[in-house]
Coordinates of all heavy atoms in Angstrom, one line a residue:
M1 N -9.6 -0.7 -6.8 CA -9.1 -0.1 -5.6 C -8.5 1.3 -5.9 O -7.7 1.4 -6.8 CB -8.1 -1.0 -4.9 CG -7.6 -0.4 -3.6 SD -6.3 -1.5 -2.9 CE -7.3 -2.7 -2.2
L2 N -8.8 2.2 -5.1 CA -8.2 3.5 -5.2 C -7.7 3.9 -3.8 O -8.4 3.9 -2.9 CB -9.2 4.6 -5.7 CG -8.7 6.0 -5.9 CD1 -7.8 6.0 -7.1 CD2 -9.9 6.9 -6.1
A3 N -6.4 4.2 -3.8 CA -5.8 4.5 -2.5 C -4.8 5.7 -2.7 O -4.2 5.8 -3.7 CB -5.1 3.3 -1.9
Y4 N -4.8 6.5 -1.7 CA -3.8 7.6 -1.8 C -3.2 8.0 -0.4 O -3.8 7.7 0.6 CB -4.5 8.8 -2.4 CG -5.5 9.5 -1.6 CD1 -5.2 10.5 -0.7 CD2 -6.8 9.1 -1.7 CE1 -6.2 11.1 0.1 CE2 -7.8 9.6 -0.9 CZ -7.5 10.6 -0.1 OH -8.5 11.2 0.7
M5 N -2.1 8.5 -0.5 CA -1.5 9.1 0.7 C -1.2 10.5 0.5 O -0.7 10.9 -0.6 CB -0.1 8.3 1.0 CG -0.3 6.8 1.2 SD 1.3 6.0 0.9 CE 2.2 6.6 2.3
T6 N -1.5 11.4 1.4 CA -1.2 12.8 1.1 C -0.7 13.4 2.4 O -0.9 13.0 3.5 CB -2.5 13.5 0.7 OG1 -2.2 14.8 0.4 CG2 -3.6 13.4 1.8
Q7 N 0.2 14.4 2.2 CA 0.7 15.2 3.3 C -0.3 16.3 3.6 O -1.2 16.7 2.8 CB 2.1 15.8 2.9 CG 2.8 16.2 4.1 CD 4.1 16.9 3.8 OE1 4.5 16.9 2.6 NE2 4.8 17.5 4.7
W8 N -0.2 16.8 4.8 CA -1.2 17.8 5.3 C -1.3 19.0 4.3 O -2.4 19.5 4.0 CB -0.8 18.3 6.7 CG -1.8 19.2 7.3 CD1 -1.6 20.5 7.6 CD2 -3.1 18.8 7.8 NE1 -2.8 21.0 8.2 CE2 -3.7 20.0 8.4 CE3 -3.8 17.6 7.8 CZ2 -5.0 20.0 8.9 CZ3 -5.1 17.6 8.3 CH2 -5.7 18.8 8.9
D9 N -0.2 19.5 3.8 CA -0.3 20.7 3.0 C -0.5 20.3 1.5 O -0.5 21.1 0.6 CB 1.0 21.5 3.1 CG 2.2 20.8 2.6 OD1 2.1 19.7 2.1 OD2 3.3 21.3 2.8
G10 N -0.7 19.0 1.2 CA -1.0 18.6 -0.1 C 0.1 18.5 -1.1 O -0.1 18.3 -2.3
R11 N 1.4 18.7 -0.6 CA 2.5 18.7 -1.5 C 2.8 17.3 -2.1 O 3.3 17.2 -3.2 CB 3.7 19.2 -0.9 CG 3.9 20.7 -1.0 CD 5.3 21.2 -0.6 NE 5.5 20.8 0.8 CZ 6.8 20.7 1.3 NH1 7.8 20.9 0.5 NH2 6.9 20.4 2.5
Y12 N 2.5 16.3 -1.3 CA 2.8 14.9 -1.8 C 1.5 14.2 -1.9 O 0.6 14.1 -1.0 CB 3.6 14.2 -0.8 CG 5.0 14.9 -0.6 CD1 5.2 15.6 0.5 CD2 6.0 14.7 -1.5 CE1 6.5 16.2 0.7 CE2 7.2 15.3 -1.3 CZ 7.5 16.0 -0.2 OH 8.7 16.6 0.0
L13 N 1.3 13.6 -3.1 CA 0.1 12.8 -3.3 C 0.6 11.6 -4.1 O 1.2 11.6 -5.1 CB -0.9 13.6 -4.1 CG -2.1 12.8 -4.6 CD1 -3.0 12.4 -3.3 CD2 -3.0 13.6 -5.5
V14 N 0.3 10.4 -3.5 CA 0.6 9.2 -4.2 C -0.7 8.4 -4.4 O -1.5 8.2 -3.5 CB 1.5 8.3 -3.3 CG1 1.8 7.0 -4.0 CG2 2.7 9.0 -3.0
Q15 N -0.9 8.1 -5.6 CA -2.2 7.5 -6.0 C -1.9 6.2 -6.8 O -1.1 6.2 -7.7 CB -3.0 8.5 -6.8 CG -4.5 8.1 -6.9 CD -5.2 9.3 -7.5 OE1 -4.9 10.5 -7.3 NE2 -6.2 9.0 -8.4
T16 N -2.6 5.1 -6.4 CA -2.5 3.9 -7.2 C -4.0 3.6 -7.6 O -4.9 3.9 -6.9 CB -1.9 2.7 -6.5 OG1 -2.8 2.4 -5.4 CG2 -0.5 3.1 -5.9
D17 N -4.1 2.9 -8.8 CA -5.4 2.5 -9.2 C -5.5 1.0 -9.4 O -4.5 0.3 -9.1 CB -5.9 3.3 -10.4 CG -5.0 3.1 -11.6 OD1 -4.4 2.1 -11.7 OD2 -4.9 4.1 -12.4
S18 N -6.6 0.6 -10.0 CA -6.8 -0.9 -10.1 C -5.8 -1.5 -11.1 O -5.6 -2.7 -11.2 CB -8.2 -1.2 -10.6 OG -8.4 -0.4 -11.8
F19 N -5.0 -0.7 -11.8 CA -4.0 -1.2 -12.8 C -2.7 -1.5 -12.1 O -1.9 -2.3 -12.6 CB -3.8 -0.2 -13.9 CG -5.0 0.0 -14.7 CD1 -5.7 1.2 -14.7 CD2 -5.5 -1.0 -15.6 CE1 -6.9 1.4 -15.4 CE2 -6.6 -0.8 -16.4 CZ -7.3 0.4 -16.3
Y20 N -2.6 -1.0 -10.9 CA -1.4 -1.3 -10.1 C -1.5 -2.7 -9.5 O -2.5 -3.0 -8.9 CB -1.2 -0.3 -9.0 CG 0.1 -0.6 -8.2 CD1 1.3 -0.2 -8.7 CD2 0.0 -1.2 -6.9 CE1 2.5 -0.5 -8.0 CE2 1.2 -1.4 -6.2 CZ 2.4 -1.1 -6.7 OH 3.6 -1.3 -6.0
P21 N -0.5 -3.6 -9.8 CA -0.7 -5.0 -9.4 C -0.4 -5.2 -7.9 O 0.5 -5.9 -7.5 CB 0.4 -5.7 -10.3 CG 1.4 -4.7 -10.5 CD 0.7 -3.4 -10.5
S22 N -1.2 -4.6 -7.1 CA -0.9 -4.6 -5.6 C -1.3 -6.0 -5.0 O -0.7 -6.4 -4.0 CB -1.6 -3.5 -4.9 OG -3.0 -3.5 -5.2
S23 N -2.3 -6.6 -5.5 CA -2.9 -7.8 -4.9 C -2.0 -9.1 -5.3 O -1.9 -10.0 -4.5 CB -4.3 -8.1 -5.3 OG -5.1 -7.0 -4.8
N24 N -1.5 -9.1 -6.5 CA -0.8 -10.3 -6.9 C 0.7 -10.2 -7.0 O 1.4 -11.0 -7.5 CB -1.4 -10.8 -8.2 CG -1.3 -9.7 -9.3 OD1 -1.5 -8.6 -9.0 ND2 -1.1 -10.1 -10.5
R25 N 1.2 -9.1 -6.3 CA 2.7 -9.0 -6.2 C 3.0 -9.3 -4.8 O 2.5 -8.7 -3.8 CB 3.1 -7.6 -6.6 CG 4.6 -7.4 -6.5 CD 5.1 -6.0 -6.7 NE 4.8 -5.5 -8.1 CZ 5.6 -5.7 -9.1 NH1 6.7 -6.4 -9.0 NH2 5.2 -5.2 -10.3
C26 N 4.0 -10.2 -4.6 CA 4.5 -10.5 -3.2 C 5.2 -9.3 -2.6 O 6.2 -8.9 -3.2 CB 5.4 -11.7 -3.3 SG 6.2 -12.1 -1.7
H27 N 4.7 -8.9 -1.5 CA 5.3 -7.7 -0.9 C 6.7 -8.0 -0.3 O 7.5 -7.1 -0.1 CB 4.4 -7.0 0.2 CG 4.4 -7.8 1.5 ND1 3.5 -8.7 1.9 CD2 5.4 -7.7 2.5 CE1 3.8 -9.1 3.1 NE2 4.9 -8.6 3.5
A28 N 6.9 -9.3 -0.1 CA 8.2 -9.7 0.6 C 9.3 -9.8 -0.4 O 10.4 -9.3 -0.2 CB 8.0 -11.0 1.3
C29 N 9.1 -10.4 -1.6 CA 10.2 -10.6 -2.5 C 9.9 -9.9 -3.9 O 10.8 -9.8 -4.7 CB 10.5 -12.1 -2.7 SG 9.2 -12.9 -3.7
G30 N 8.7 -9.4 -4.1 CA 8.4 -8.7 -5.4 C 8.0 -9.6 -6.5 O 7.7 -9.2 -7.6
Y31 N 7.8 -10.9 -6.2 CA 7.3 -11.9 -7.2 C 6.0 -11.5 -7.7 O 5.1 -11.2 -6.9 CB 7.3 -13.3 -6.6 CG 6.7 -14.3 -7.5 CD1 7.4 -14.9 -8.5 CD2 5.3 -14.7 -7.4 CE1 6.9 -15.9 -9.4 CE2 4.8 -15.6 -8.3 CZ 5.5 -16.2 -9.2 OH 5.0 -17.1 -10.1
L32 N 5.8 -11.4 -9.0 CA 4.5 -11.0 -9.6 C 3.8 -12.3 -10.1 O 4.3 -12.9 -11.0 CB 4.7 -10.0 -10.7 CG 3.4 -9.4 -11.3 CD1 2.7 -8.7 -10.3 CD2 3.8 -8.5 -12.5
S33 N 2.7 -12.6 -9.4 CA 1.9 -13.8 -9.8 C 1.0 -13.5 -10.9 O 0.7 -12.3 -11.2 CB 1.1 -14.3 -8.6 OG 0.2 -15.2 -8.9
D34 N 0.4 -14.5 -11.5 CA -0.7 -14.2 -12.5 C -1.8 -13.6 -11.7 O -1.9 -13.7 -10.5 CB -1.1 -15.6 -13.1 CG -0.1 -16.2 -14.0 OD1 0.7 -15.4 -14.5 OD2 -0.1 -17.4 -14.2
T35 N -2.7 -13.0 -12.4 CA -3.8 -12.3 -11.7 C -4.6 -13.3 -10.9 O -4.9 -14.4 -11.3 CB -4.8 -11.7 -12.8 OG1 -4.0 -10.8 -13.6 CG2 -5.9 -11.0 -12.1
I36 N -4.8 -13.0 -9.6 CA -5.5 -13.8 -8.7 C -6.9 -13.5 -8.6 O -7.3 -12.3 -8.5 CB -4.8 -13.7 -7.3 CG1 -3.4 -14.1 -7.3 CG2 -5.6 -14.5 -6.2 CD1 -2.6 -13.6 -6.1
P37 N -7.8 -14.4 -8.8 CA -9.3 -14.1 -8.8 C -9.7 -13.5 -7.5 O -9.1 -13.8 -6.4 CB -9.9 -15.5 -8.9 CG -8.9 -16.4 -9.5 CD -7.6 -15.9 -9.0
R38 N -10.6 -12.6 -7.5 CA -11.0 -11.9 -6.3 C -11.5 -12.8 -5.2 O -11.5 -12.5 -4.0 CB -12.1 -10.8 -6.6 CG -11.6 -9.7 -7.4 CD -12.5 -8.5 -7.3 NE -12.0 -7.3 -8.0 CZ -11.1 -6.5 -7.4 NH1 -10.8 -6.6 -6.1 NH2 -10.7 -5.4 -8.0
S39 N -12.0 -14.0 -5.6 CA -12.5 -15.0 -4.6 C -11.4 -15.6 -3.8 O -11.6 -16.2 -2.7 CB -13.3 -16.1 -5.3 OG -12.5 -16.7 -6.3
V40 N -10.2 -15.5 -4.3 CA -9.0 -16.1 -3.5 C -8.5 -15.1 -2.5 O -8.1 -14.0 -2.9 CB -7.9 -16.5 -4.5 CG1 -6.7 -17.0 -3.7 CG2 -8.4 -17.5 -5.5
R41 N -8.7 -15.4 -1.2 CA -8.4 -14.4 -0.2 C -6.9 -14.6 0.3 O -6.4 -13.8 1.0 CB -9.3 -14.6 1.0 CG -10.8 -14.5 0.6 CD -11.1 -13.2 -0.1 NE -10.7 -12.0 0.6 CZ -10.7 -10.8 0.1 NH1 -11.0 -10.6 -1.2 NH2 -10.3 -9.7 0.8
Q42 N -6.4 -15.8 0.1 CA -5.1 -16.2 0.7 C -4.3 -16.9 -0.4 O -4.8 -17.7 -1.1 CB -5.3 -17.1 1.9 CG -4.1 -17.3 2.8 CD -4.4 -16.6 4.1 OE1 -5.5 -16.5 4.5 NE2 -3.3 -16.3 4.8
W43 N -3.0 -16.5 -0.5 CA -2.2 -17.2 -1.5 C -0.7 -17.3 -0.9 O -0.3 -16.5 -0.1 CB -2.2 -16.6 -2.8 CG -1.8 -15.2 -2.9 CD1 -2.5 -14.0 -2.5 CD2 -0.5 -14.7 -3.4 NE1 -1.7 -12.9 -2.8 CE2 -0.5 -13.3 -3.3 CE3 0.7 -15.3 -3.9 CZ2 0.6 -12.5 -3.6 CZ3 1.7 -14.5 -4.2 CH2 1.7 -13.2 -4.1
D44 N 0.0 -18.3 -1.4 CA 1.4 -18.4 -1.0 C 2.3 -18.1 -2.2 O 2.1 -18.5 -3.3 CB 1.6 -19.9 -0.6 CG 0.9 -20.3 0.7 OD1 0.6 -19.4 1.5 OD2 0.5 -21.4 0.8
C45 N 3.3 -17.3 -1.9 CA 4.3 -16.9 -2.9 C 5.1 -18.2 -3.3 O 5.7 -18.8 -2.4 CB 5.2 -15.8 -2.4 SG 6.5 -15.4 -3.6
P46 N 5.1 -18.5 -4.6 CA 5.9 -19.7 -5.0 C 7.4 -19.4 -5.0 O 8.2 -20.4 -5.0 CB 5.4 -20.0 -6.4 CG 4.9 -18.6 -6.9 CD 4.4 -17.9 -5.7
D47 N 7.8 -18.2 -4.8 CA 9.2 -17.8 -4.9 C 9.8 -17.8 -3.5 O 10.9 -18.4 -3.3 CB 9.3 -16.5 -5.5 CG 10.7 -16.3 -6.3 OD1 11.2 -17.4 -6.7 OD2 11.2 -15.2 -6.3
C48 N 9.2 -17.2 -2.5 CA 9.8 -17.1 -1.2 C 8.9 -17.8 -0.1 O 9.3 -17.8 1.1 CB 10.0 -15.6 -0.8 SG 8.5 -14.7 -0.4
D49 N 7.8 -18.5 -0.5 CA 7.0 -19.2 0.4 C 6.2 -18.4 1.4 O 5.7 -18.9 2.4 CB 7.8 -20.3 1.2 CG 8.2 -21.4 0.2 OD1 7.5 -21.7 -0.8 OD2 9.2 -22.1 0.5
A50 N 6.2 -17.1 1.3 CA 5.5 -16.2 2.2 C 4.0 -16.5 2.0 O 3.5 -16.7 0.8 CB 5.8 -14.7 1.9
S51 N 3.2 -16.5 3.1 CA 1.8 -16.7 3.0 C 1.1 -15.3 3.1 O 1.4 -14.5 4.0 CB 1.3 -17.5 4.2 OG 0.0 -17.9 4.0
H52 N 0.2 -15.0 2.2 CA -0.4 -13.7 2.1 C -1.9 -13.7 2.2 O -2.6 -14.5 1.6 CB 0.0 -13.0 0.7 CG 1.4 -12.8 0.5 ND1 2.2 -12.1 1.3 CD2 2.2 -13.3 -0.5 CE1 3.5 -12.1 0.9 NE2 3.5 -12.8 -0.3
D53 N -2.4 -12.7 3.1 CA -3.8 -12.3 3.0 C -3.8 -11.3 1.9 O -3.1 -10.4 1.8 CB -4.2 -11.7 4.3 CG -5.6 -11.2 4.3 OD1 -5.8 -10.1 3.7 OD2 -6.5 -11.9 4.8
R54 N -4.8 -11.5 1.0 CA -4.8 -10.7 -0.2 C -4.8 -9.2 0.1 O -4.1 -8.4 -0.5 CB -6.1 -11.1 -1.0 CG -6.3 -10.3 -2.3 CD -7.7 -10.5 -2.8 NE -7.9 -9.7 -4.0 CZ -7.8 -10.2 -5.2 NH1 -7.5 -11.4 -5.4 NH2 -7.9 -9.4 -6.3
D55 N -5.7 -8.8 1.0 CA -5.8 -7.4 1.3 C -4.6 -6.8 2.0 O -4.2 -5.7 1.8 CB -7.1 -7.1 2.1 CG -8.4 -7.4 1.2 OD1 -8.2 -7.4 0.0 OD2 -9.4 -7.7 1.8
V56 N -4.1 -7.6 3.0 CA -2.9 -7.1 3.7 C -1.7 -7.0 2.8 O -1.0 -6.0 2.8 CB -2.6 -8.1 4.9 CG1 -1.3 -7.7 5.5 CG2 -3.7 -8.1 5.9
N57 N -1.6 -8.0 1.9 CA -0.5 -7.9 1.0 C -0.6 -6.7 0.1 O 0.4 -6.0 -0.2 CB -0.4 -9.2 0.2 CG 0.7 -9.2 -0.8 OD1 1.9 -9.1 -0.5 ND2 0.4 -9.3 -2.1
A58 N -1.8 -6.4 -0.4 CA -2.1 -5.3 -1.3 C -1.8 -4.0 -0.6 O -1.1 -3.1 -1.1 CB -3.5 -5.3 -1.8
A59 N -2.2 -3.9 0.7 CA -1.9 -2.7 1.4 C -0.5 -2.4 1.6 O 0.0 -1.3 1.5 CB -2.6 -2.8 2.8
K60 N 0.3 -3.5 1.9 CA 1.7 -3.3 2.1 C 2.4 -2.9 0.8 O 3.3 -2.1 0.8 CB 2.3 -4.6 2.6 CG 2.0 -4.9 4.0 CD 2.6 -6.1 4.6 CE 2.3 -6.3 6.1 NZ 2.8 -7.6 6.6
N61 N 1.9 -3.4 -0.4 CA 2.5 -3.0 -1.6 C 2.2 -1.6 -1.9 O 3.0 -0.8 -2.5 CB 1.9 -3.9 -2.8 CG 2.7 -5.2 -2.9 OD1 3.8 -5.3 -2.6 ND2 2.0 -6.3 -3.2
I62 N 1.0 -1.1 -1.6 CA 0.6 0.3 -1.9 C 1.5 1.2 -1.0 O 2.0 2.3 -1.4 CB -0.9 0.5 -1.6 CG1 -1.7 -0.2 -2.8 CG2 -1.2 2.0 -1.6 CD1 -3.1 -0.3 -2.5
L63 N 1.7 0.8 0.3 CA 2.5 1.6 1.2 C 3.9 1.7 0.6 O 4.5 2.8 0.6 CB 2.5 1.0 2.6 CG 3.3 1.7 3.6 CD1 2.8 3.1 3.9 CD2 3.3 0.9 4.9
K64 N 4.4 0.6 0.1 CA 5.8 0.5 -0.4 C 5.8 1.5 -1.6 O 6.8 2.2 -1.8 CB 6.1 -0.9 -0.9 CG 7.3 -1.5 -0.3 CD 7.5 -2.9 -0.9 CE 8.5 -3.7 0.0 NZ 8.7 -5.0 -0.5
A65 N 4.8 1.4 -2.5 CA 4.8 2.3 -3.7 C 4.9 3.7 -3.3 O 5.5 4.6 -3.9 CB 3.6 2.0 -4.5
G66 N 4.1 4.1 -2.2 CA 4.1 5.5 -1.8 C 5.4 5.9 -1.3 O 5.9 7.0 -1.6
K67 N 6.1 5.1 -0.5 CA 7.4 5.4 0.0 C 8.4 5.5 -1.2 O 9.3 6.3 -1.2 CB 7.9 4.4 1.0 CG 7.2 4.5 2.3 CD 7.7 3.4 3.3 CE 7.0 3.6 4.7 NZ 7.3 2.5 5.6
A68 N 8.3 4.6 -2.2 CA 9.2 4.5 -3.3 C 9.2 5.8 -4.1 O 10.3 6.2 -4.6 CB 8.9 3.4 -4.2
V69 N 8.1 6.5 -4.2 CA 8.1 7.8 -4.9 C 8.4 9.0 -4.0 O 8.2 10.1 -4.5 CB 6.8 8.0 -5.7 CG1 6.7 6.9 -6.8 CG2 5.6 8.0 -4.8
G70 N 8.8 8.7 -2.8 CA 9.4 9.8 -2.0 C 8.3 10.6 -1.2 O 8.4 11.9 -1.2
T71 N 7.3 10.0 -0.7 CA 6.4 10.8 0.1 C 7.0 11.2 1.4 O 6.6 12.2 2.0 CB 5.2 9.9 0.5 OG1 5.6 8.7 1.1 CG2 4.3 9.7 -0.7
G72 N 8.1 10.5 1.9 CA 8.7 10.9 3.1 C 7.9 10.3 4.3 O 7.0 11.0 4.8
A73 N 8.3 9.2 4.8 CA 7.5 8.5 5.9 C 7.5 9.4 7.1 O 6.5 9.4 7.8 CB 8.1 7.2 6.2
D74 N 8.6 10.1 7.4 CA 8.6 11.0 8.6 C 7.6 12.1 8.5 O 6.9 12.4 9.5 CB 10.0 11.5 8.8 CG 10.5 12.3 7.6 OD1 10.0 12.0 6.5 OD2 11.4 13.2 7.8
K75 N 7.4 12.6 7.3 CA 6.4 13.7 7.2 C 5.0 13.2 7.3 O 4.1 13.8 7.8 CB 6.6 14.4 5.8 CG 7.8 15.3 5.8 CD 8.2 15.7 4.4 CE 9.4 16.6 4.5 NZ 10.2 16.7 3.3
L76 N 4.7 11.9 6.8 CA 3.4 11.4 7.0 C 3.1 11.2 8.5 O 2.0 11.4 8.9 CB 3.3 10.0 6.2 CG 3.1 10.1 4.7 CD1 3.3 8.8 4.1 CD2 1.8 10.8 4.4
R77 N 4.1 10.8 9.2 CA 3.9 10.6 10.7 C 3.5 11.9 11.3 O 2.7 12.0 12.2 CB 5.1 10.0 11.3 CG 5.1 8.5 11.2 CD 6.2 7.8 12.0 NE 6.8 6.8 11.2 CZ 8.0 6.8 10.7 NH1 8.8 7.8 10.9 NH2 8.5 5.8 10.0
E78 N 4.2 13.0 10.9 CA 3.8 14.3 11.4 C 2.4 14.7 11.1 O 1.7 15.2 12.0 CB 4.7 15.4 10.8 CG 6.1 15.5 11.4 CD 7.0 16.5 10.7 OE1 6.5 17.4 10.0 OE2 8.2 16.3 10.7
H79 N 2.0 14.3 9.9 CA 0.6 14.6 9.5 C -0.4 13.8 10.4 O -1.4 14.3 10.8 CB 0.5 14.2 8.0 CG -1.0 14.0 7.6 ND1 -1.9 15.0 7.6 CD2 -1.6 12.9 7.3 CE1 -3.0 14.5 7.2 NE2 -2.9 13.2 7.0
E80 N 0.0 12.6 10.7 CA -0.9 11.7 11.5 C -1.0 12.3 12.9 O -2.1 12.3 13.4 CB -0.4 10.3 11.5 CG -0.6 9.6 10.2 CD 0.2 8.3 10.1 OE1 0.9 7.9 11.0 OE2 0.2 7.7 9.0
K81 N 0.1 12.8 13.5 CA 0.0 13.4 14.8 C -0.9 14.6 14.8 O -1.7 14.8 15.7 CB 1.4 13.8 15.2 CG 2.3 12.7 15.8 CD 3.6 13.3 16.2 CE 4.7 12.2 16.2 NZ 6.0 12.8 16.2
T82 N -0.7 15.4 13.8 CA -1.6 16.6 13.6 C -3.0 16.3 13.6 O -3.9 16.8 14.3 CB -1.2 17.4 12.4 OG1 0.2 17.7 12.4 CG2 -1.9 18.8 12.3
T83 N -3.3 15.3 12.7 CA -4.7 14.9 12.6 C -5.3 14.3 13.9 O -6.4 14.6 14.3 CB -4.8 13.8 11.5 OG1 -4.1 14.2 10.3 CG2 -6.2 13.5 11.1
A84 N -4.5 13.5 14.6 CA -4.9 12.9 15.8 C -5.2 14.0 16.8 O -6.2 13.9 17.6 CB -3.9 12.0 16.4
G85 N -4.4 15.1 16.9 CA -4.7 16.2 17.8 C -6.0 16.9 17.5 O -6.7 17.2 18.4
H86 N -6.3 17.0 16.2 CA -7.6 17.6 15.9 C -8.8 16.8 16.3 O -9.8 17.3 16.8 CB -7.7 17.8 14.3 CG -6.9 19.0 13.9 ND1 -7.1 20.3 14.3 CD2 -5.9 19.1 13.0 CE1 -6.3 21.1 13.7 NE2 -5.5 20.4 12.9
V87 N -8.6 15.5 16.2 CA -9.7 14.6 16.6 C -9.9 14.6 18.1 O -11.1 14.7 18.5 CB -9.3 13.1 16.2 CG1 -10.4 12.1 16.7 CG2 -9.4 13.0 14.6
E88 N -8.8 14.6 18.9 CA -9.0 14.7 20.3 C -9.5 16.0 20.8 O -10.3 16.1 21.7 CB -7.6 14.4 21.0 CG -7.2 12.9 20.9 CD -5.7 12.7 21.2 OE1 -5.1 13.6 21.7 OE2 -5.2 11.7 20.8
G89 N -9.1 17.1 20.1 CA -9.5 18.4 20.5 C -11.0 18.7 20.2 O -11.7 19.6 20.5
Ligands
ZN101 ZN1 7.6 -13.8 -2.3

């Protein structure tokens, strides 16, 4: 999986690759499970009992990682507004 978040002017770029344990880390409590086979779509965290959809959990972890390195969530929202304006225009 390759995912990135970028600001309009390109000053901020957050990139995670397949080595980032986004699928098998509980986004709720941070528990890191053993590698989960790709065939497993749903798993429960043994630590906090949260139930995870593999992809949703991974997406939340990547978002968290992006925020953690200081992308600035408010700036990303500005970027999204700008982009939406272009699409509508
Ligand atoms: Zn958990």
